[in-house]
Structure formats: structure tokens, C-alpha cells
Amino acid sequence: MFDTLAAMLDWFGIVVFTVTGALVASRKQMDAVGFVLLGTVTGIGGGSVRDMLLGRLPVFWVAEPAYLLTCVCVAFAAFFLAHIPASRYRALLWLDAVGMALFAVAGAERALLSGTAPSVAVAMGVITATFGGMIRDVLGGETPVILRREIYATAALVGAALFVLLSLAGASREAGLTAGFL
Amino acid sequence: MFDTLAAMLDWFGIVVFTVTGALVASRKQMDAVGFVLLGTVTGIGGGSVRDMLLGRLPVFWVAEPAYLLTCVCVAFAAFFLAHIPASRYRALLWLDAVGMALFAVAGAERALLSGTAPSVAVAMGVITATFGGMIRDVLGGETPVILRREIYATAALVGAALFVLLSLAGASREAGLTAGFL
Amino acid sequence: MFDTLAAMLDWFGIVVFTVTGALVASRKQMDAVGFVLLGTVTGIGGGSVRDMLLGRLPVFWVAEPAYLLTCVCVAFAAFFLAHIPASRYRALLWLDAVGMALFAVAGAERALLSGTAPSVAVAMGVITATFGGMIRDVLGGETPVILRREIYATAALVGAALFVLLSLAGASREAGLTAGFL
């Protein structure tokens, strides 16, 4: 049950981050390939860095191509829909926050399952949540997310820490997930 | 035979990308160490990221120092020759395109040999082809390649996809290589 | 004895680089979370890249959380003290040079212990010494270190090469460390 829930978080986070990558591609007026590349890198970048640091190789989307195909499809769909939102930048900020919350918890949980220390699990949550967006911003030529909106990094940190604390305290993992998410 | 051909592609790609890194160092008027660092990172960066994602560790140039030494020598030679081309930027664009074609096919092939799904192999081809140049541009303080010249990313994508398709179709691998290359 | 010495170098290098990351955060007027993130990434970034390339996974700070906690504490302390130095930029340059010397030798030594070729060990020393600072500068939105102060990259290269040469020559490793450090 829990594993499904964690996988669901991961999945939603990937879709949401792919959309943020596509939105940056939209702001930069890139073509369809640019949308797909930037969206996919943003969607799977944070998790890839986490897996490489933990030594869980090959990274998750190599073993499970569905992740990759989802990113490509979502980014491609975004290419045709990207002109619709009235304010792309506001949507970007919003989605970024949602994606970070999802990834912070999912990343911390993956690390705990790998048997890391609690502090390392929190760091992995923050890394999973922030690195996809950082790579997106660096490649897109924008000021990296870490500088612009520290409030989100703080949220990722608090979410991951709360989740790890509750997990340690033996709380039902669903409770930890919910708390980490808020 | 095929392995030799793939290794040859890899080798040429590395030399070509090392030269593009050295050309960026030249445009930025860096010294010899800058040439060597930027050239080497560009030459082996894409393949290193691919190997790390696939879990083929240590990465290729750790097991085979000849790659590393080649990059250093090529970059060092470029330091003394870099003032010769009339238009460095035009040369950079040209070599970048050639290197990308080489790496897209070589990267996809390495991934297929590791037993990944076809979609993942295409992604690995694109990653191998584009990440060296991205790292070069980010370190060199230029707008990343992905923004400036999407046409090249498209070419890498098409080349890798064509190669994977032909490989799956059981075509002679040499044919796949040639097609992916065009 | 030697292992302790190498570990000590690593440890000092991490603290010093964490401080440089915090100083960049200070120049950018980031909040406490920004200090911790940028300081930690700078402190453990170079070694993480080295470990991923060498396939020594999980990376060093996953197995040993003390590194991570040290970075967090140092960066947090720096947040309260960062306004004290008269000239933060000069301090940054100085500490960067010290950290690079420490990491160049420690990185080369780790690679040699992993059984790599001498040329690869030198490259690993340079990578360990320069990548933490590069990530810091890219994330902090500054011109990457590799462009601004090649003199430091040269120093890292010479230090790592000297250390590897002396190790090969069978000199007492302490001598190699000292020479590499100068």
C-alpha cells in the first residue's frame, strides 16, 4: 500500500516538474524538441541525481521506461497547450511548489528504504526536490531557483524533515506522508 | 567488427568535442590549463553522465586512461593552433554537429548493449550527444547549447532514434550506424 | 596513519569549501536555508562527483552522515558570522585556494587507492578540487570559477600531479602529501 503511495507521489511529481520545464521552454520560445528535452530533464533530473548519489543504479527511469515516455508525452502535450495559461510564470511558481513537496517526501522515503541515516534521508529529499528545477534553470539560462525562491527550498527541507521524523517515531507512514506534504 | 566501429565513433566524437571545448576556451581567452580543462570536460562529459546513469561504473575513461590523455593532448594542441581558424564560432558550430551525430549513435548503442529498452536507448543517445556541450557552455558562461541551436538536439534525437529502430528491425548494425549518422 | 591524514585533508577541505559556499550566499544576501544549501553543496559536491565517476557508491557522505551534519552546522554558523569579515570576496578567494589544495591531494589519493591509472588519479584530484566551486558558482549565478581564476585550477593540477608522481616514486606518502599541498 505504502509503496504504491510513494510511487504515486513520485509519478505526480515527475508530471508536475515536466510541465514546469515545458513552461520555461515556452517562456524561451523553444520548439517542440526543446520542450521535450527541458521538460524531461526537469522531470527526471532530481530523481536521477538522488539515485546516482545513493548508488541505486541504473537510475529509476532506465529500468522503467514508462517514466521517460510519460515525460516525453506530457512535454509534447504542453507544447500545444502552453499558450493557454494567462500567466505562465505564476503557473510555474505554483507547480514548482507542488512538485517540490511531492519529491521531498518521495526522495526522503527512497533514501530511508535504502537504509541511510535520517539526516542523509532529509538531504536526499531536498536534493530530489530541488535539483530538477536547478538543472532546468541553469539550462534555460534563468537565475537558478535556489536564489530566486528560497521559500520553496525551505518548504522542501521542512517537508522532508517532518516526514523522516514521523517515520522514525513509528507513526503510520501515511501520516508521515501527509504531514511531510503539508 | 561492430564493437570496433562503435568505439571508433566514440573516439572521433571525443576528439571533436574536445576541440569545441578548446574553441570556447579560445573565445574566452583562457590560458593553457583552461583549454585542457574545458576541452577535456566537453570531450568526456556526455559519456560520463551516460555511464553514471546506466550504472556502468567506473566511467569509461577511468578504466581506459587513453581517452583522458587524448583529450589533454588534443586540447593542448588546440591551444597552440586555436588562433588559426578565421572564424572560430563557425568551426565550433560545425564540429559540434559532427560530434553530436557521432555521440548520439554511440550512446544509443552502448545503452542497447546494456540491455535497456529502446526508448531509454534513444534518450541515452541524446544525453551523450548533448550533455558534454551543455557542461561546456554552462562552465564557459555562454547560453547553453540547448537554447541556441535546437536544430542540433533534433538531429541527435533523430539520429539516435533511427539507429535504435534499425537495430531493432534486425538490420545489419553497420546500416543502422550509417543511417543514424546521416 | 596515512589514511587518517588523508581523511583529515578531506575534512578540512569540506569545512573550508562550505565556508566559501556560505560566503557566496552572503554576497547574494540569501537567508539561512540558502546558506545551508549552497554551503553544503559546495562542501560535498566535488567529492560526490568523484565518487560517482569512480563508482564508489553510495557517495562518501551517505555512508558517513557526520560530513553532512558538519556542513550544515558550519554553514549555519557562517550565517550568523558572515557579516564580520571586512572583505568577503578576498576571504572567498583565499579559502577557495586552500580548499582546492586540500581536495586536489585528497581526491588524487582516493583515486589511487581505487586502483586507477596515475593520469586518472590526477584528473580526479582536479575534479574533486574544482567541481564543488563550479557548482557553487553556477548555482550562485556567478561566472564559474574555471573562467575567473585559472591560477587556482593550475595549482590544483600541479598539486595533484606532484602528489601522484611522488606516490609512484615510492616516496613516503606524507612527503607526497606535503609536496602536493605546496
Side-chain angles (χ1 to χ4, degrees), chain B residues 157-176:
Chain B
L157 183 63
V158 171
L162 213 59
F163 168 72
V164 169
L165 275 180
L166 284 173
S167 294
L168 287 180
S172 88
R173 299 200 150 205
E174 280 77 12

Side-chain angles (χ1 to χ4, degrees), chain B residues 10-159:
Chain B
D10 232 17
W11 211 271
F12 275 127
I14 286 168
V15 169
V16 165
F17 267 120
T18 302
V19 173
T20 70
L23 287 175
V24 169
S26 165
R27 280 159 50 85
K28 298 285 171 177
Q29 310 196 291
M30 298 171 79
D31 66 8
V33 171
F35 269 70
V36 169
L37 283 185
L38 207 51
T40 305
V41 167
T42 310
I44 61 182
S48 300
V49 172
R50 175 199 62 206
D51 284 354
M52 287 193 292
L53 292 171
L54 285 173
R56 296 170 70 240
L57 297 175
V59 297
F60 68 102
W61 54 271
V62 169
E64 186 56 85
Y67 287 109
L68 188 64
L69 296 174
T70 304
C71 287
V72 171
C73 293
V74 168
F76 202 70
F79 177 63
F80 292 104
L81 303 170
H83 58 287
I84 295 178
S87 163
R88 284 175 208 150
Y89 190 64
R90 188 174 300 269
L92 176 65
L93 291 182
W94 245 96
L95 287 174
D96 218 30
V98 173
M100 277 196 182
L102 292 164
F103 269 1
V105 173
E109 192 259 330
R110 290 277 164 107
L112 280 182
L113 287 181
S114 290
T116 65
S119 56
V120 173
V122 173
M124 285 296 170
V126 175
I127 285 172
T128 311
T130 55
F131 268 63
M134 280 184 200
I135 299 174
R136 175 195 65 210
D137 291 344
V138 168
L139 291 183
E142 309 218 344
T143 314
V145 72
I146 197 179
L147 263 182
R148 258 185 327 190
R149 328 189 270 276
E150 288 146 25
I151 184 69
Y152 295 108
T154 311
L157 183 63
V158 171

Side-chain angles (χ1 to χ4, degrees), chain B residues 28-34 37-38 41 48 52 57-59 61-65 68-69 138-141, chain C residues 49 52-55 57 116-117 119-120 123-124 126-127 130-131 134 138 144 146-147 150-151 153-154 157:
Chain B
K28 298 285 171 177
Q29 310 196 291
M30 298 171 79
D31 66 8
V33 171
L37 283 185
L38 207 51
V41 167
S48 300
M52 287 193 292
L57 297 175
V59 297
W61 54 271
V62 169
E64 186 56 85
L68 188 64
L69 296 174
V138 168
L139 291 183
Chain C
V49 172
M52 288 192 292
L53 291 171
L54 285 173
L57 297 174
T116 65
S119 56
V120 173
M124 285 298 170
V126 174
I127 286 171
T130 56
F131 267 63
M134 281 184 200
V138 169
I146 197 179
L147 263 183
E150 288 146 26
I151 184 69
T154 310
L157 183 63

Side-chain angles (χ1 to χ4, degrees), chain A residues 104-167:
Chain A
V105 172
E109 192 258 331
R110 290 278 164 106
L112 280 183
L113 288 181
S114 290
T116 65
S119 56
V120 173
V122 173
M124 285 296 171
V126 174
I127 285 171
T128 312
T130 56
F131 268 64
M134 280 184 200
I135 298 173
R136 175 195 65 210
D137 291 344
V138 169
L139 291 182
E142 310 217 343
T143 313
V145 71
I146 197 180
L147 263 183
R148 256 185 331 190
R149 327 188 274 277
E150 288 146 25
I151 184 69
Y152 294 107
T154 311
L157 183 62
V158 171
L162 214 57
F163 167 72
V164 169
L165 274 180
L166 284 173
S167 294

Side-chain angles (χ1 to χ4, degrees), chain A residues 52-55 57 116-117 119-120 123-124 126-127 134 138 144 146-147 150 153-154, chain C residues 28 30-31 33 37-38 41 48 52 57-59 61-62 65 68-69 138-141:
Chain A
M52 288 194 291
L53 291 171
L54 285 173
L57 296 174
T116 65
S119 56
V120 173
M124 285 296 171
V126 174
I127 285 171
M134 280 184 200
V138 169
I146 197 180
L147 263 183
E150 288 146 25
T154 311
Chain C
K28 298 286 172 178
M30 298 171 78
D31 67 8
V33 171
L37 283 185
L38 206 51
V41 166
S48 301
M52 288 192 292
L57 297 174
V59 296
W61 52 271
V62 169
L68 188 64
L69 295 174
V138 169
L139 291 182

